[in-house]
Structure formats: structure tokens, C-alpha cells
Amino acid sequence: MPPEIKHRWLFSVRFKLFGIYLLIILIISGCILGIFPKIFQAYMLERSQEDLLTTKQIIQETLEQTSFQTTLYMREKLDAVARAKGIEIWICKQPITQTDGSIVVPTIRLGGDTDTQDLQLSSESAVFIEAVRTGQMQDRMYEDQFPEYYSQKTMTLAYSTLYYENVLAREMNVESTAVILLNIGLRDISNSVHNMLLVVLIVFGLISILVAIMIGYLANSIVTPVNQMREIAAAITQGDFSKKVEICTRDEIADLAKTFNLMAVELQEVEETQQAFIANISHDFRSPLTSIRGFVQAMLDGVIPPDQYDKYLNIVFDETNRLSKLANDLLELNRMESGRDELHIVRFDINEMIRKLMLGFEQRAEEKKLQIEFKFAQERLYVNADLDKIQRVIYNLIDNAIKFTNEGDSITISSDIINRKASVSVQDTGIGMDEEAVRHIFERFHKGDKSRGLNKTGMGLGLAIVKQIIVNHGEGIQVFSKEGEGTKFTFTLPLANQVSFIEKK
């Protein structure tokens, strides 16, 4: 198996979509695991600090209400606040050094297991409390300040305040300084971060699975019609135009599938047209070539006597002219359709041109006793167009009208101004055409049975050239016909800018 086929899945749309999806999942997962815990932890720490500051404000307000005395009301209120916020409040008095060298700090502990308990602290902690008491360290947040009492990570807000030991001290205005320590454990923050991270990962995992299913559906909705188009394209290269892409959506893929199906239909029509073209051109070339070969062979074999050579050589000459005209018309039509045929736009009176052209048909019209009528809305009608090519258009239309009219019929040539354009019509009362013939009238080599019966020298290129000339002028041509009643061709041309005119409404 060739490497490009063996590893084709690496370049498939499914692989690319899921590869991009997995890359996005990895990036988001990295952000969740690396950034989210830090952001959430910082948020929880900020909340804890706000709780400490709020508790400090409540303590100050409570002390003011109790005239800075440690009453039972104060303890009960602060204990409730501390338990509600998960904070332990230490109201520390001046440290006392025992005889054994240990340091004891008389303390009121609120929010814990007991409300009164002297603290036995290390010298470092005692120094810290004394620094707060003396004002060296005030209103700051400290982490893990009392490891001898807390095994978990803690945050402490420390500050000092004045108070009165009792009523007598207040009456005597003997103030004391207490150190307030607000301690909050950070273990709950870590647990909250882990729990929230777990919830986020679960939700993200469920969303990822759902998105993966949706991407799989999206990939199938894209890949399936694309694969169908690839298979059908391969079938088209083999000449099979019968298969179509199944359309079950209303998105851009459906539009592409519709366009592809339309392209397949048009390719089939092109194939049929090409086959018909080859068949027609083979027929039109074979007939004169057969005549030429037959007459030349008869002369060489002595079947035709020398005294009749002139007669049959003239026939051979006419047939070669027919072949030459057919080849020239094909080359000219191809040149027009490819846009390589340059137009020489001039200003001329199309009514005058029609009158002059009709002079060349007088003899044929008299032989068939045709009635020729001109209906010009204006005496002169100036247009901007290629004079020679428009002359050929009108010549072919009049020639066809004379061919397909019976003796005594009429032909009407008219011109008018409609919708700010010059409109020219050639109408006859001849044999007409059915709807099928009208649909194909401008196709190459289309003659129809009537045309072949009446005019076997026709090649079916005249009207195709007529239409292409009009199209190259940026205008349109229409045909109206009914079998047994006649045919009418109408085309438009741009008016000359220099001419003032009265438009027919």
C-alpha cells in the first residue's frame, strides 16, 4: 500500500477536527489545573481576610458598648461571631514568666472549645505578642504565627486595644492594654479549593464528552457528503452520471451538494451535447465527402464520360464550398463563444440597413410570391453595434423566414424603441415550430425534421451564430412560434447616444 494511502487518515477531516478538539481540551485542562486553583485560593484568602477585618470591627464596637470592659455580654456576643465565621479570638493580657522559665499569657479564647485558658507560648510567640502590645506590629496579617497551637496553616490578624480590668479600674481610670489575635484556619480553604476543582473537572469532563459527540456528528455531516461527492466524481470520470449526492441538511454543505448535483447534470448535458455534436458534424461532413468521393471515383473509373466532367466537377466544387463554409462557421462560432471575436462598434441606421439587405432577397420573395412588409416606428433608428455582424443576424433571420414560408405567405420586418432599447423583429406566417423545436432552436446543428425536409443543405449553425452575436453585444434574442401559424424572432440593440427618440410606452 502506498504511504500516501496508508497514512491518509492523518490528513482526514475527522482527524483534524478531533486533533484540534483534543488540543483545546489539553489547553483548557492545563488552565483549570494550573490557574483555577490559584485564582480560587486567592479569592478564598481574600474572603478570609475580609472576615478577619469584619470581626475586628465587631470586637471594637462590642468593646465600646461595654465601656471596654470584659463582661459576660461581650464574651457571648464575640463567641457567637467567632463561631459563625470560623475564627478563634484571643484576647491576650501581658505575658507572665514562670519560675521554670516558661511564659504564660492570661487569655480569653472565644470561638474555640473553651473561653478562658492561659496560653503557654514559646519565646518567639511571646516576643511577637509583646511587639504587638507596644505598637511595633499592628493591623497586619501573619501566617502560621502559633505552630505550637495549630497544626494546620493559619492566618492571624494582630492588633492592640485599651480596656479596663473591672469597674473599679474604670472609675480610677486605670487603663490596660490587651492584644487581640484573630486566628482563622486555612485548611477549609484548601478543602474548598479541592472540592471546587473536582466539581469543575467533572462538569468539564461531561461537557467535553458532549462536545466530542457533537464534533463527531459535525464531522460525519461534513465527511459523508464529501465522500459521496468523491465517489460520484470518480463515477463521472467513468461516464456514469446517474448517481446523485443525498441532501438531508440546509447548510453550506447542502448548498455544495446541490451545486455538485447540478454540475453533474450539466456535465451529462455537455456529454450528450458533445456526442450529438460529433454525430451531427460527422453527418454533415460525411454527406458532401461521400458525394465528392463518388463523383471523383466515377471519373477515374470512366463511368462518367469526359464530356460530362464540367457538370460533375461543378457539383464537387459546390460540395467543397459547403465543407469550407461549415468549417468557417464552426471556427467563427468557437471564436465568438470564447470571447476572442472583437466587436467593431459603430453608429448606423438599422432601418436603412434592413431595406438594403431586403433588396438581395427580392428575387426569392417574388418566386414564392411572398408579401414583404416593413413596420418601422421611426423613419430612422440609430444603434451602436457591429455593422457587419448585425447585418449577418438580420440576413440569417430573413433567409430562414423565406425558407420556411409557403407560397403566398407574408414576412413582416419591424423596428421599435422599447425600454430605451432598439427592438427588431422578423416575423413570418410559415410552417412554425413545436415547443420542442423552439427549446433547441439556438443549439448547434439543430435543424428539426422540417428543416431537413425542406432544406437539406442547411448545417444548423446559422441561428447559433445569430444568438452568439447578440449575446456578445450584451443583448438578448427571443423566439415565438406556433406550429402551422409562423415564427417571430425579436432581438434588442443599444440605441446610439447621440439620437433623441420618442419611446413607445
Side-chain angles (χ1 to χ4, degrees), residues 323-480:
L323 287 174
S324 178
K325 185 178 185 305
L326 175 59
N328 290 334
D329 286 347
L330 281 172
L331 292 174
E332 183 176 6
L333 184 56
N334 286 332
R335 189 168 58 251
M336 290 180 182
E337 291 177 345
S338 64
R340 293 182 288 108
D341 190 46
E342 185 179 355
L343 295 178
H344 301 282
I345 304 299
V346 296
R347 176 177 176 268
F348 62 92
D349 181 2
I350 195 168
N351 292 347
E352 181 65 21
M353 185 192 73
I354 292 173
R355 294 189 187 96
K356 291 180 179 180
L357 270 180
M358 200 59 210
L359 295 176
F361 293 100
E362 282 186 352
Q363 182 177 355
R364 291 174 58 189
E366 290 176 359
E367 291 175 355
K368 298 186 71 171
K369 300 180 180 179
L370 301 178
Q371 299 178 7
I372 308 298
E373 183 178 3
F374 297 100
K375 289 185 178 180
F376 298 148
Q378 297 183 184
E379 179 63 24
R380 295 184 178 276
L381 180 58
Y382 288 91
V383 296
N384 284 332
D386 189 310
L387 176 62
D388 293 334
K389 288 183 170 53
I390 298 303
Q391 185 171 340
R392 183 171 184 178
V393 168
I394 296 175
Y395 181 93
N396 284 348
L397 294 179
I398 296 175
D399 182 65
N400 277 346
I402 294 176
K403 286 180 183 177
F404 304 120
T405 52
N406 297 320
E407 187 174 340
D409 286 337
S410 64
I411 296 175
T412 302
I413 306 171
S414 58
S415 68
D416 205 344
I417 299 175
I418 301 176
N419 296 328
R420 302 182 66 84
K421 291 183 179 292
S423 177
V424 179
S425 298
V426 178
Q427 183 176 5
D428 63 68
T429 59
I431 60 177
M433 296 178 287
D434 56 23
E435 294 182 0
E436 181 67 19
V438 170
R439 281 196 296 268
H440 302 283
I441 191 63
F442 293 113
E443 295 178 4
R444 295 184 181 190
F445 298 104
H446 178 77
K447 305 177 187 179
D449 295 337
K450 293 183 175 61
S451 176
R452 289 188 182 275
L454 293 174
N455 181 28
K456 296 187 182 295
T457 61
M459 293 173 290
L461 292 175
L463 291 179
I465 293 175
V466 164
K467 181 177 181 179
Q468 195 58 49
I469 290 174
I470 299 301
V471 169
N472 288 352
H473 278 78
E475 301 294 335
I477 182 170
Q478 295 177 314
V479 56
F480 307 92

Side-chain angles (χ1 to χ4, degrees), residues 77 172 206 208 213 216 224 270 294 296 320 331 337 365 435 441:
K77 180 177 180 180
M172 297 178 65
L206 294 176
S208 300
I213 295 174
T224 300
V270 169
V296 172
T320 56
L331 292 174
E337 291 177 345
E435 294 182 0
I441 191 63

